[in-house]
Amino acid sequence: MNRFKWNSIYRKLLVTYLALTALGTSILAAYILWSFHGYFIRTRQDDLNAWTTALSESVADALEKNDVQRVDLLVQRYGVPETITLRVFGPDGRLLSTSSPEQDRQIKEWLNIPGVREALQNQRVQGFAKGVVLNDDRVYAAQPISRNGRLLGVLRMSITLEQFQSQFRRVIFTVLGALILTLLLCALISEQLARNIARPIKAMRNFAIQVGNGHLGEKLNISQNDELGQLAIELNRMSERLASLDKERRAFLANVSHELRTPVSNVVVTLEALESGADEEPTLRSRFIQTALEETKRLSRLIKDLLDLGRLEAGVTLLEKQPISVRDLSNRAGRAMESRMLSKGVGLSIDIPDVQLQGDPERLLQAFLNVLDNAIKHSLPNSQVFVSGLIEGVYIVVQIQDQGLGISDRDLPHIFEQFYTGDRSRQGSSTGLGLAIARRIVEAHGGSIAASSTVGKGATFTIRLPRYSPS
C-alpha cells in the first residue's frame, strides 16, 4: 500500500510520466487539428478563387453584350449545388442574377453584404462571413468584372462550411479517441517504468532499514547496469564492511574481556590469599605481593595500549611533524631493548643509511620498539636480530629480521590483528596489541608494514615510510 501514497516515489514518477505524456500528446493533437483546419480553409479559398476567376470571364462576355439570360444560365449552371451560392450584381449594386432567388427576395440592401461594396470599388475581396439568410458559416469571394477598364458588375460566390465542420468534428473525435488510446497505452508503459524504478529504490530503503536495525551482512539482489545497480553494489560493500567491523568489534570486546579478566583474577586471588593469613609468612607474603604487583603492571600496560590503539584508530592522536633520522631512531630502539636482549642472549645488528623522514619521533620509536620487541621475543637464544635499511625511490624501507622459529602460513595473515597470538604459551607479559599499534602508527605516517616468514628460519618485518624532502 505504501506505493500508492502521494509522497511515494512510485506515485511521483507515474504522475510525472502521465503529465508529460498528456502534455505532449495534447500539444501534438492541437497542432494536427490546427494544421488540418488551416490547410482545408486555404484549399477552399484557393478553389473559390480559381472558380470565381474562371467564371468571371464568361460572365464578363455576357454582360458586355448585355445578355442577362446568358448570365442567368451561367449562374444556374454553376450555382446549383446546395453548398454553393452564386450572385451577379450590376455596377450600380443591383442584383442581376442569383442561384437562390427565393431567399434573396428577402434582401433589400445588398451593399451591406460582406464583399459587395469593396468589389464595386474594383477591389477583389475574400474572407469568412455568415450566410445572408440562413446565417450559416461560409467562405466567400467577391470578384469585380471589368473589361477595357470599365466595371461591368460584381461576381460573388460563397461556399458553406457546414460539410467541412462536420468532417472536422469527425476528425476531432478521431484525434481525441487516438489521444485517449495513447494516454492509456502510455499509462501502462509509465506504470511499468515507474514500478521498475521504484522497486529497487524501495528494496534499498528496506535494506537500509535492516542495516540500521543491526541486520548486517545481508545483500541486495539488484542486477542493473545503471546508477541504481552501482548504488546497490556500494550498499552491499557497505553492509559487508559494517558486518566485518561489527565482527571485529565483538572479537575486540571478547579479547579485552579475556585479557582483563586474567590479571584481575590473579590480583583478586592473591589479595584473598593474603587476607586469609598468607601474610603471616614473610616469604609467602613477599611472593604474593610480587605477583599482585606484576599483574597490576600488566593490567596497566594493557590499558595504556588500549588507549593508544583507540586514539590511533579514531584519528584523535596528534602527530608531531619534524625531520627524523632513521639511523638515530633505530639506534634509540636498540639501546632501549639492550637489557632485554642481554637477558635472552640475543645480539643486534643495525645497518641503516643516514636518511631522514618527517613524523612524530616518539610514536615512530614506539612502532620500532614494538616490532623489535616481537623479534626478540621469538628469537632463539644466542641468535641475531638484523635491522637493515635501503632506499626505494621516495621511500625508506627498514627490515627487522629475527632467527626464530618463524610464523606459520596460518598465522601470518593475522599477526597485525588486535590480541592475536599464534602461540598462547609464548605470550608472556605481552598484551597482543604491539604489532597492531605499530601498524596504526606507520599507516598514520603514510607508510605500510608487512611481514614474511619461512618456518624454521625466522620472520622479517618490512616497514616502508616516505622520505623527508624539504621544499
Side-chain angles (χ1 to χ4, degrees):
M1 293 298 292
N2 290 336
R3 64 193 181 102
F4 292 105
K5 294 180 180 179
W6 279 107
N7 58 354
S8 68
I9 191 170
Y10 170 84
R11 177 57 64 91
K12 291 178 180 178
L13 287 172
L14 182 59
V15 171
T16 301
Y17 290 152
L18 290 179
L20 291 176
T21 301
L23 179 62
T25 52
S26 299
I27 293 175
L28 180 61
Y31 176 75
I32 291 174
L33 293 174
W34 176 78
S35 298
F36 175 78
H37 182 273
Y39 171 77
F40 181 84
I41 294 299
R42 286 193 302 271
T43 301
R44 302 304 286 172
Q45 287 177 335
D46 292 341
D47 292 342
L48 194 61
N49 289 335
W51 293 342
T52 55
T53 301
L55 188 58
S56 64
E57 292 297 325
S58 300
V59 174
D61 292 338
L63 290 177
E64 193 175 28
K65 297 177 182 179
N66 202 23
D67 189 351
V68 179
Q69 293 182 351
R70 175 65 178 170
V71 173
D72 289 336
L73 181 62
L74 292 172
V75 169
Q76 294 301 322
R77 180 183 298 173
Y78 294 102
V80 169
E82 295 181 359
T83 59
I84 298 176
T85 301
L86 184 61
R87 297 182 179 91
V88 177
F89 299 91
D92 55 357
R94 183 173 53 87
L95 180 64
L96 299 180
S97 180
T98 176
S99 60
S100 302
E102 295 182 0
Q103 297 178 3
D104 289 351
R105 290 194 187 99
Q106 304 174 28
I107 307 302
K108 303 301 182 181
E109 183 57 52
W110 286 100
L111 292 179
N112 296 328
I113 303 302
V116 175
R117 189 183 300 273
E118 291 83 355
L120 290 174
Q121 296 175 359
N122 210 23
Q123 298 178 14
R124 193 176 186 282
V125 183
Q126 66 178 16
F128 300 93
K130 293 292 184 177
V132 175
V133 177
L134 299 180
N135 203 33
D136 54 346
D137 294 325
R138 287 178 172 269
V139 57
Y140 72 90
Q143 172 91 17
I145 304 173
S146 303
R147 280 289 172 84
N148 299 322
R150 185 167 64 93
L151 181 64
L152 301 178
V154 171
L155 175 66
R156 187 182 189 277
M157 179 180 288
S158 64
I159 302 176
T160 181
L161 295 177
E162 182 180 357
Q163 184 178 5
F164 161 71
Q165 292 170 341
S166 177
Q167 294 174 348
F168 191 67
R169 282 193 293 271
R170 287 197 296 269
V171 171
I172 291 176
F173 291 140
T174 302
V175 172
L176 288 177
L179 177 61
I180 294 173
L181 179 60
T182 301
L183 287 175
L184 291 176
L185 292 176
C186 290
L188 294 176
I189 297 173
S190 299
E191 197 275 340
Q192 189 64 32
L193 288 174
R195 188 186 298 274
N196 289 338
I197 295 177
R199 185 185 296 114
I201 295 177
K202 183 179 179 181
M204 291 178 189
R205 183 202 64 185
N206 295 335
F207 178 77
I209 293 175
Q210 290 179 352
V211 171
N213 291 332
H215 301 284
L216 305 177
E218 299 183 5
K219 286 189 175 182
L220 277 169
N221 295 321
I222 297 177
S223 300
Q224 295 182 197
N225 296 323
D226 54 13
E227 288 79 0
L228 290 177
Q230 295 174 1
L231 178 58
I233 293 174
E234 295 302 323
L235 287 175
N236 286 332
R237 289 177 181 172
M238 180 193 72
S239 177
E240 293 176 359
R241 179 58 180 159
L242 290 175
S244 176
L245 291 175
D246 185 66
K247 183 179 179 181
E248 292 178 5
R249 179 183 63 84
R250 295 175 185 273
F252 177 78
L253 291 175
N255 288 326
V256 168
S257 300
H258 174 77
E259 296 296 333
L260 290 175
R261 184 172 61 247
T262 301
V264 170
S265 299
N266 291 339
V267 171
V268 170
V269 170
T270 301
L271 293 177
E272 288 177 349
L274 291 173
E275 186 182 19
S276 299
D279 60 336
E280 297 178 357
E281 299 183 17
T283 304
L284 190 60
R285 181 180 67 234
S286 177
R287 184 162 58 87
F288 279 1
I289 291 176
Q290 183 64 30
T291 299
L293 183 60
E294 290 177 354
E295 292 299 329
T296 303
K297 289 181 178 179
R298 180 183 171 191
L299 185 61
S300 176
R301 286 195 301 270
L302 177 60
I303 294 173
K304 179 180 180 299
D305 287 346
L306 286 172
L307 290 174
D308 288 342
L309 184 62
R311 291 191 185 100
L312 289 168
E313 290 187 339
V316 297
T317 299
L318 297 178
L319 300 177
E320 296 182 8
K321 295 294 184 178
Q322 64 183 55
I324 309 168
S325 171
V326 182
R327 179 184 294 174
D328 293 344
L329 194 66
S330 302
N331 290 332
R332 284 183 62 190
R335 289 193 298 270
M337 302 301 294
E338 187 174 358
S339 60
R340 176 100 186 273
M341 290 185 291
L342 289 175
S343 65
K344 196 167 183 178
V346 176
L348 179 63
S349 173
I350 299 177
D351 182 16
I352 300 291
D354 191 10
V355 179
Q356 286 189 331
L357 55 85
Q358 191 174 32
D360 190 320
E362 297 305 319
R363 287 296 179 183
L364 287 174
L365 178 61
Q366 182 183 6
F368 275 48
L369 286 173
N370 289 352
V371 178
L372 191 57
D373 177 72
N374 182 80
I376 295 171
K377 182 174 61 177
H378 294 95
S379 293
L380 296 176
N382 301 319
S383 63
Q384 194 85 357
V385 174
F386 300 93
V387 180
S388 59
L390 65 145
I391 299 174
E392 290 185 357
V394 296
Y395 290 93
I396 172 68
V397 179
V398 178
Q399 292 184 332
I400 301 176
Q401 182 179 5
D402 65 66
Q403 293 178 325
L405 297 178
I407 306 171
S408 67
D409 294 338
R410 181 192 64 183
D411 297 328
L412 191 60
H414 306 286
I415 59 173
F416 292 105
E417 295 178 3
Q418 303 159 5
F419 298 106
Y420 188 84
T421 302
D423 186 357
R424 287 285 179 180
S425 65
R426 298 185 305 175
Q427 184 176 357
S429 61
S430 171
T431 62
L433 296 173
L435 293 180
I437 293 174
R439 185 182 67 174
R440 297 297 192 280
I441 293 174
V442 171
E443 290 177 349
H445 284 80
S448 62
I449 184 172
S452 60
S453 177
T454 302
V455 178
K457 295 184 179 181
T460 300
F461 287 82
T462 302
I463 301 174
R464 184 185 300 269
L465 290 166
R467 294 166 55 195
Y468 172 62
S469 56
S471 56

Coordinates of all heavy atoms in Angstrom, one line a residue, residues 9 35 73 179 185 222 413:
I9 N 7.7 7.6 -4.2 CA 8.4 7.8 -5.5 C 7.7 7.2 -6.6 O 7.8 7.7 -7.8 CB 9.9 7.4 -5.4 CG1 10.7 7.9 -6.6 CG2 10.0 5.8 -5.3 CD1 12.2 7.7 -6.4
S35 N -3.4 22.5 -38.0 CA -2.8 22.4 -39.3 C -3.9 21.9 -40.3 O -4.0 22.4 -41.4 CB -1.6 21.4 -39.3 OG -0.6 21.9 -38.4
L73 N -28.2 31.8 -67.1 CA -27.8 30.4 -67.4 C -26.5 30.0 -66.7 O -26.4 28.9 -66.1 CB -27.7 30.3 -68.9 CG -27.4 28.9 -69.4 CD1 -28.5 27.9 -69.0 CD2 -27.2 28.9 -70.9
L179 N -6.0 10.1 -28.9 CA -5.3 10.7 -27.8 C -5.6 9.9 -26.5 O -4.7 9.6 -25.7 CB -5.8 12.1 -27.6 CG -5.2 12.9 -26.4 CD1 -3.7 13.0 -26.5 CD2 -5.8 14.3 -26.3
L185 N -2.2 3.7 -23.3 CA -1.0 2.9 -23.6 C 0.2 3.4 -22.8 O 1.0 2.7 -22.2 CB -0.7 2.8 -25.1 CG -1.7 2.1 -25.9 CD1 -1.4 2.2 -27.4 CD2 -1.8 0.6 -25.5
I222 N 20.0 -6.9 -6.7 CA 19.6 -6.0 -7.8 C 20.7 -6.0 -8.9 O 21.9 -5.7 -8.6 CB 19.5 -4.5 -7.2 CG1 18.4 -4.4 -6.2 CG2 19.2 -3.5 -8.4 CD1 18.2 -3.1 -5.6
P413 N 48.7 -14.2 8.1 CA 47.7 -13.1 7.7 C 47.1 -12.4 8.9 O 46.5 -11.3 8.7 CB 46.7 -13.9 6.9 CG 47.3 -15.2 6.5 CD 48.2 -15.5 7.6

